[in-house]
Amino acid sequence: MKLGTLKDGTRDGRLVVVKRDNSVYATADGIAKSMQEALDNWDEAEPKLQELFEKLEAGEVDGEPVDVNDFHSPLPRAYEWIDGSAYINHIVLVRKARDAEPPETLETDPLVYQGGSGHFLAPTEDIPLPNPEWGLDFEAEIAVVMGDTPRGVSKEEAGEHVKLLMLVNDNTFRNLIPGELAKSFGFFQSKPATTFSPFAVTPDELGDKWDGGRVNLPLETDYNGEFFGDPEAGPEMHFSFFDLIQHVTKTRSFTAGTILGSGTVSNEDQSKGSSCLSEKRMLEKIETGEFKTPYMQVGDTVKIEMKDEEGNNIFGTIQQKVVDAS
C-alpha cells in the first residue's frame, strides 16, 4: 500500500492512497483525515486503507492525477524524528572530514540523534540557505515510521512496529557541526528542516527487498542534473532498523508517527558514488590533499529516489533547489 499527504492549507494535510505506479490518488475521507490520525488508529485504519488501495489499483474507484507539487512530506510534522547513522563507511569518512576519530564503540553501539520534527519540507520545496558559509549538504537516507512502540523492544520484536517506509533528505549545515559537538551536547543549529519523499509505503510493497530490517535496493541521487551516487542500501547497513529500534527503546517508549532514519546510505565501493557531498569531499582530500567539491550553493539541485528491479519509482522523487534565504 502506498500513502501520501496532500497540501490542503492545514498543518497535517489530507491523507490519500496512491496507485502503485504513482499516476493517481484517492482521498481517504471517512477513514482518516491525516497520516497521523491513521497511525494513531492503525489497527482499524490499515485494513480500510488497504481495501481502498486495492480498489484504486483495480480501477474500481476514480482517482485524481498525481502532481507531486501538491504533496507534502507524508508526515508534515511528527512527534519525533530520530536519525541513526547505520553505515560505517559514512561515519568513518565524515569523521575524517572534520578531523575527528570514530567512537571506539563504532560497530557495537549505534549513533543516533533527535532532530527537529515540528516542521518538515515538502518533497519539491526549495531548501533555504541563509549563509553559504554554513556548508549546506544533502544526505540521502531511508526512514521507517513506527506505530506505538513500547520500551524494551528487542530486535526480534521490532518488525511489528514498522508501519511505513519513506526516503529522506536530511539537510545539514556541515560547517556548524564541529562547534556544536565541541560543546558535547549534540546537533541543533547544524540540522535545519528535513525533507521526506512524497509517498510512504507499507513494508510488503518492497517484497523480499525488505529483509531483516534492511532495504536491499540502491538509493539514487542526482546532483545538479548529473549522477552522484546509487549505493546499495542493504548490505552495508551495519545496524538494521530492527537494531536501531532496539537501541532507541532501551529507556523509553515511542508514540505512533515517530520517524526513525537510517543515516546516510554509503558503500565502500567508490564506483557507487555517494549520498552526500561530505563523503565526496573527503575522498577528494584523501586522493589529492584538498577538498575540491564545494558545499551546496544557491541554484544547486538535488534529486533522490529509489526504484525496484522493474524500474518503478517506489517512493516518488525528492526534487529540491537551493534558494537564497539571507
Side-chain angles (χ1 to χ4, degrees):
M1 177 171 61
K2 185 176 295 191
L3 303 174
T5 295
L6 283 179
K7 302 172 185 175
D8 68 349
T10 67
R11 288 180 183 271
D12 297 311
R14 186 182 189 188
L15 179 65
V16 298
V17 171
V18 181
K19 194 173 181 181
R20 192 171 279 120
D21 66 3
N22 303 337
S23 60
V24 297
Y25 68 85
T27 60
D29 298 345
I31 301 174
K33 294 179 181 179
S34 67
M35 186 78 74
Q36 184 61 53
E37 183 178 316
L39 289 160
D40 285 339
N41 303 281
W42 191 250
D43 288 345
E44 179 181 348
E46 188 273 336
K48 295 177 181 178
L49 291 169
Q50 182 67 39
E51 181 181 5
L52 177 60
F53 173 71
E54 290 171 1
K55 288 181 177 179
L56 184 65
E57 280 291 304
E60 296 174 9
V61 297
D62 293 330
E64 295 291 328
V66 166
D67 180 346
V68 72
N69 294 303
D70 296 333
F71 282 74
H72 212 304
S73 286
L75 285 163
R77 57 178 177 169
Y79 285 109
E80 292 195 62
W81 155 230
I82 306 162
D83 200 13
S85 194
Y87 296 86
I88 299 297
N89 188 61
H90 173 74
I91 298 170
V92 170
L93 286 176
V94 296
R95 292 290 178 107
K96 283 183 179 179
R98 61 174 190 260
D99 294 321
E101 291 295 323
E104 293 182 2
T105 56
L106 179 67
E107 298 185 10
T108 58
D109 193 23
L111 296 173
V112 298
Y113 79 92
Q114 188 167 320
S117 60
H119 168 72
F120 297 132
L121 298 180
T124 60
E125 189 171 351
D126 292 336
I127 305 171
L129 179 57
N131 186 342
E133 298 294 321
W134 294 351
L136 176 62
D137 198 356
F138 58 84
E139 294 189 72
E141 308 183 10
I142 305 167
V144 298
V145 181
M146 297 156 58
D148 287 313
T149 306
R151 182 188 63 77
V153 171
S154 70
K155 63 181 181 181
E156 290 78 19
E157 301 166 327
E160 66 185 88
H161 300 290
V162 174
K163 306 306 181 187
L164 298 166
L165 293 99
M166 51 191 182
L167 303 184
V168 188
N169 178 16
D170 181 35
N171 300 297
T172 301
F173 292 126
R174 294 288 187 188
N175 292 339
L176 298 185
I177 290 177
E180 289 202 297
L181 295 186
K183 296 186 287 186
S184 300
F185 214 63
F187 300 124
F188 195 85
Q189 291 179 333
S190 53
K191 291 293 184 178
T194 306
T195 312
F196 295 91
S197 55
F199 312 130
V201 306
T202 48
D204 61 286
E205 285 296 306
L206 297 172
D208 62 3
K209 299 303 179 183
W210 173 246
D211 182 30
R214 295 175 175 86
V215 178
N216 291 300
L217 287 167
L219 180 59
E220 304 174 17
T221 302
D222 286 355
Y223 184 48
N224 289 329
E226 297 183 356
F227 170 82
F228 192 82
D230 63 349
E232 295 290 336
E236 293 183 48
M237 188 181 187
H238 185 76
F239 297 105
S240 72
F241 279 111
F242 298 164
D243 292 317
L244 294 175
I245 290 173
Q246 176 176 272
H247 178 79
V248 301
T249 61
K250 179 177 179 177
T251 60
R252 53 178 162 147
S253 61
F254 293 90
T255 193
T258 296
I259 304 171
L260 176 61
S262 66
T264 306
V265 176
S266 181
N267 291 170
E268 288 189 25
D269 180 359
Q270 294 181 23
S271 71
K272 301 297 291 181
S274 300
S275 298
C276 69
L277 291 170
S278 186
E279 282 192 21
K280 181 177 177 63
R281 284 164 54 86
M282 191 61 238
L283 291 170
E284 290 170 345
K285 188 172 184 180
I286 291 171
E287 293 173 5
T288 70
E290 61 182 16
F291 299 122
K292 293 186 176 181
T293 301
Y295 285 121
M296 299 183 85
Q297 305 295 314
V298 171
D300 288 342
T301 61
V302 61
K303 182 174 79 169
I304 300 168
E305 58 191 13
M306 176 176 278
K307 297 175 183 175
D308 64 19
E309 292 177 319
E310 286 73 47
N312 299 304
N313 191 351
I314 301 168
F315 302 95
T317 303
I318 296 174
Q319 177 83 58
Q320 295 183 280
K321 182 179 180 178
V322 179
V323 296
D324 185 356
S326 60

